[in-house]
Amino acid sequence: MAVPTSSSPESIGHDIFKEASLANPDPSTDSSTAALVNRYSPYMVATYVRPPPVMVKGEGCYIWDMENRRYLDFTAGIAVNALGHCDPEMAKLIGQQARTLVHASNLYHNAWTGELSKLLVTKTRESGAMKDASKVFVCNSGSEANEAAIKFARKVGKLRDPSGEKFELVSFQNSFHGRTLGSLSATPNPKYQKPFAPMIPGFKYGIYNDEAGLKDLVTEKTCGVIVEPIQGEGGVMVANSSFLQALRDRCNEVGAVLIYDEIQCGLSRTGSFWAHGSLPASAHPDILTTAKALGNGFPIGATMVTEEIAKCIVTGDHGTTFGGNPLGCRLAHYIVSRLSEPALQEEVLAKEQIFRKGFKKLQVMYPDLITEVRGRGLILGVQLTRDPTPIVTAARERGLLVITAGTNTLRFVPPLIVTQEEIQSGLSILGEAIKAVMITPDAIGGTEGQQEMAPPER
């Protein structure tokens, strides 16, 4: 427990009361944590709004701040740390590979890029997903994976229609595909696009799950369509199977490339290796993008394509300096091996039910607050009727980290290794946090910035 350092009697009294009533009170403005933040913030571009704690250590499903407060982490670094913090085998492999070879560039072959690519294709096919998965481009992040997908779709469009008219790309409202200019152009949020306008020309936006609008949306001019089977940042919205099938059918009709962005929902987070794995083969994509859990915290992404798409990409069309480096690929090879285990996927589905049971109890207790629970596996969203950020604050100050999504949605994306006991503990803390906010709704300030992009202003 932190010790107040202020010399002000009023501040001392406030901090003592706070620490007596909360397990993990946020560091005070005159704490060593605040001093550290204030020391370095003048040198950092202000791209994020962050709460007061400074995180310094992690293990499994827990993370500690610099004042040794422990938090149960139901955020997993925004669905990244699927194997938890500081997985022991991952730490061992980092040391081994760092002493062997970290980087040599893509001017040369290395032992691990091909191994990872083969494993991704093999495990994808074995899982029943992306039936024609054939080749992989390895990069450094989700945005880069989507940039590659967008470029590949444009190239295919030019080859299928040499006139240059087949260049349009389609994405959907409330999607999030990244922050680079191409992926931002596919993310139709005016608040975030406007400062960097104009966007890349040729993007059109449709309504998620609107099958009736697909004929007018996806046309002969469309070279590619990018869609998330589950919109994570958009509020944990799940695509209807019939919508994805209709989208695949329409892409077939006009010769467009279908891209599934599974950066947040893939790699067993839904209880299957890929979120689209339960769809019939007739609804599978031409391109699949992944990142986040692929590196469990190490920066790596990948774009998987069919042979038909791969044949359209030639030497010099695309590239990366760091992508496919032996350190990242060796780690991802281990991580994919772990995340593709059927036993882990079965446990994810069992853990989903524990969460849902707990959420149902809370919904019964607070029917005017909780309206719906969405998602699959361990990407779940609890829809509220009010701003969830005070609950985020109250939960953190009681030792639980949760984040938000979409509009008034609490998002739960814990490590896939979370135990049943840890889930029950987290649900108990969540209940305490909701109770505190409901009893004194104006006493607890909200925590802003707990999702990549805020919803469009209405």
Side-chain angles (χ1 to χ4, degrees):
M1 185 172 289
V3 177
T5 58
S6 172
S7 59
S8 163
E10 181 179 347
S11 176
I12 290 174
H14 176 268
D15 284 350
I16 289 175
F17 173 78
K18 192 175 185 182
E19 292 192 359
S21 60
L22 296 173
N24 288 45
D26 278 343
S28 61
T29 55
D30 56 359
S31 65
S32 57
T33 294
L36 181 75
V37 171
N38 293 335
R39 186 182 311 137
Y40 295 123
S41 60
Y43 304 98
M44 299 170 64
V45 177
T47 52
Y48 281 85
V49 177
R50 300 179 175 93
V54 173
M55 304 307 180
V56 297
K57 183 179 73 171
E59 182 178 352
C61 295
Y62 290 92
I63 192 167
W64 285 259
D65 69 15
M66 66 177 289
E67 299 189 28
N68 206 34
R69 297 178 170 99
R70 188 180 77 158
Y71 304 84
L72 179 55
D73 185 6
F74 279 4
T75 75
I78 318 180
V80 168
N81 300 312
L83 297 179
H85 295 282
C86 300
D87 176 78
E89 183 65 18
M90 183 176 169
K92 176 183 174 182
L93 291 174
I94 288 173
Q96 289 179 353
Q97 193 61 41
R99 290 189 296 269
T100 305
L101 180 65
V102 172
H103 174 77
S105 89
N106 282 299
L107 300 179
Y108 311 100
H109 295 290
N110 74 68
W112 286 101
T113 311
E115 286 283 358
L116 173 62
S117 299
K118 178 182 178 183
L119 186 67
L120 277 169
V121 170
T122 301
K123 291 299 183 182
T124 295
R125 287 179 171 178
E126 287 178 356
S127 74
M130 196 175 177
K131 63 181 177 65
D132 294 324
S134 176
K135 289 181 171 59
V136 177
F137 170 75
V138 183
C139 54
N140 308 284
S141 69
S143 286
E144 288 182 57
N146 283 338
E147 285 284 343
I150 290 167
K151 286 183 67 176
F152 293 172
R154 278 274 174 92
K155 177 72 183 294
V156 172
K158 288 186 178 297
L159 292 175
R160 290 178 176 174
D161 182 0
S163 73
E165 290 298 309
K166 197 175 191 63
F167 69 95
E168 292 182 347
L169 286 134
V170 168
S171 62
F172 295 90
Q173 298 294 338
N174 298 316
S175 63
F176 178 80
H177 299 292
R179 294 180 181 274
T180 52
L181 197 57
S183 57
L184 182 61
S185 297
T187 303
N189 188 321
K191 179 178 179 180
Y192 294 96
Q193 287 187 346
K194 186 176 179 180
F196 308 103
M199 293 290 101
I200 293 176
F203 279 84
K204 294 171 64 178
Y205 309 122
I207 298 173
Y208 198 63
N209 279 329
D210 177 22
E211 297 175 39
L214 291 180
K215 186 173 182 179
D216 292 333
L217 180 68
V218 181
T219 70
E220 295 291 341
K221 290 187 175 182
T222 305
C223 68
V225 177
I226 185 168
V227 63
E228 299 161 278
I230 300 178
Q231 291 185 330
E233 292 294 327
V236 194
M237 302 294 185
V238 181
N240 297 328
S241 297
S242 60
F243 171 69
L244 294 177
Q245 181 67 68
L247 195 54
R248 172 75 274 180
D249 292 343
R250 183 58 180 161
C251 285
N252 291 344
E253 289 172 4
V254 302
V257 171
L258 179 60
I259 305 162
Y260 283 171
D261 175 346
E262 293 218 23
I263 289 166
Q264 184 163 162
C265 64
L267 293 172
S268 297
R269 183 153 288 280
T270 62
S272 59
F273 192 52
W274 298 112
H276 76 274
S278 60
L279 296 175
S282 59
H284 289 184
D286 303 296
I287 300 178
L288 177 67
T289 59
T290 182
K292 284 190 180 287
L294 184 61
N296 205 63
F298 188 91
I300 185 170
T303 306
M304 188 155 39
V305 302
T306 64
E307 183 64 30
E308 185 177 359
I309 302 300
K311 288 190 297 187
C312 298
I313 308 304
V314 300
T315 301
D317 277 349
H318 198 50
T320 170
T321 296
F322 297 109
N325 67 77
L327 176 56
C329 288
R330 186 176 182 185
L331 291 174
H333 187 277
Y334 159 70
I335 292 159
V336 170
S337 298
R338 286 277 308 276
L339 294 179
S340 59
E341 293 173 355
L344 179 142
Q345 294 163 0
E346 291 173 7
E347 290 172 0
V348 166
L349 295 175
K351 292 166 185 176
E352 174 190 359
Q353 297 309 311
I354 299 173
F355 269 108
R356 286 187 176 276
K357 185 177 180 180
F359 294 151
K360 184 64 178 178
K361 288 181 178 179
L362 290 171
Q363 187 174 18
V364 170
M365 293 173 65
Y366 303 101
D368 294 332
L369 175 67
I370 299 174
T371 62
E372 184 184 11
V373 177
R374 296 187 295 268
R376 285 168 45 201
L378 292 179
I379 175 169
L380 298 169
V382 176
Q383 186 62 48
L384 307 183
T385 56
R386 55 176 290 171
D387 177 15
T389 61
I391 295 173
V392 172
T393 301
R396 183 180 64 250
E397 293 201 305
R398 287 160 176 79
L400 174 69
L401 299 182
V402 295
I403 51 177
T404 58
T407 301
N408 295 343
T409 306
L410 282 172
R411 179 172 25 161
F412 297 83
V413 283
L416 304 189
I417 63 164
V418 65
T419 66
Q420 294 186 16
E421 293 75 19
E422 287 166 341
I423 295 173
Q424 295 290 8
S425 175
L427 288 169
S428 177
I429 297 171
L430 178 65
E432 294 172 7
I434 293 175
K435 180 180 179 181
V437 171
M438 297 301 287
I439 290 175
T440 55
D442 299 322
I444 301 173
T447 300
E448 301 299 326
Q450 297 301 284
Q451 61 194 73
E452 282 289 341
M453 285 194 172
E457 295 176 347
R458 302 185 187 280

